[in-house]
Amino acid sequence: MSSSSSRSSSSRSSSRKPLLYAAGVAVAAITLGLVSWQATAPAEKRSAGSSAAAAPRTDPAAELRALARRESGDKLAVGRADAPVVLIEYSDFKCGYCGKFARDTEPELVKKYVEEGTLRIEWRNFPIFGADSEAAAKAAWAAGQQDRFTAFHAAAYADGSKEKGFAEPRLVELAREAGVPDLERFKKDMAGEQAAAALRKDQEEGYRIGVTSTPSFLLNGKPIAGAQPLGTFTAAIAEAEAAAAKQ
């Protein structure tokens, strides 16, 4: 191989790495959706042929919309399973902007849209800040098994809560604050394989579509990056509801 070919190959290789690992991938992937899936998927998932790897997905927007689980028994969701609009939220309990969204914007969305049946919110645990984040995510899932996820979510995102950390005693305190009735079951569930499996499922979904920062959202498949103002969400909900009515 010539030195120019080697440099060209090296350049192509290094150009792929930011797509996989740099902080900018979140903005790129959230903006482009699954159009960039082939570039951001793990290497073993890609086709060996360059022409196959370059082929676009059939319908990226439809694939993003299909991520809405719409399971009536989903413990990490609020709103009707058949609501015309679904907001999927990828979040971390140690993320300050996630907390701001949870305190300032989400309650307004629940009050205005979830309660009257337009909107469903499905949470995805997406811890990116280490062991404390993962522990809090598993604890939230465990609280959900006793139908106290939303209360735990509110307690964990309360102003000043993340500064106290998420060691096990603190998580049990939050569960008690959230009204989890059986704290021994909570501790067992939190440490169990089902909690770990649920967390992996959410993480794998997020990473597959290019999410690397929190909060990140999909609203009927439309990406929204970051804790945007309330008006951004209300406008997107109105647009999505109108589009759903035409289908």
Side-chain angles (χ1 to χ4, degrees), residues 185-199:
R185 177 190 169 190
F186 167 79
K187 289 188 282 187
K188 182 179 178 180
D189 286 345
M190 180 171 58
E193 175 53 32
Q194 281 187 294
L199 177 56

Side-chain angles (χ1 to χ4, degrees), residues 21-35:
Y21 302 114
V25 71
V27 175
I30 288 298
T31 302
L32 297 175
L34 286 178
V35 170

